[in-house]
Amino acid sequence: MTSIPIGVTVNGADHEFAEALTVRELLDRLGLPNQGVALAVDGAVFPKSRWGEPVGRGWQIEVLTAVQGG
């Protein structure tokens, strides 16, 4: 049985994975921080309580970091 790759966009860059990943695993795989960041999926806030869920095919993910200043 052949698996279908999962394609997602993270911070404007396209990525393809052969196997299903959770959101947390995706961040680790891409070397992105999982502390002190917020995620938006398809323009909506994606709470950290859901980071153990599988990444959906075609998701547009933005990893946002807080910046101090004024």
Side-chain angles (χ1 to χ4, degrees):
M1 183 171 150
T2 304
S3 65
I4 299 172
I6 297 169
V8 297
T9 302
V10 180
N11 292 346
D14 294 332
H15 299 275
E16 198 170 275
F17 301 96
E19 73 283 347
L21 298 169
T22 66
V23 173
R24 189 169 280 110
E25 290 169 337
L26 172 76
L27 294 175
D28 289 343
R29 180 81 57 95
L30 297 178
L32 295 169
N34 59 20
Q35 298 279 340
V37 297
L39 292 185
V41 174
D42 297 332
V45 173
F46 196 81
K48 197 165 192 168
S49 62
R50 295 184 58 196
W51 288 14
E53 295 179 15
V55 173
R57 186 170 279 112
W59 279 8
Q60 301 280 328
I61 301 170
E62 295 295 325
V63 181
L64 311 166
T65 56
V67 178
Q68 290 186 328

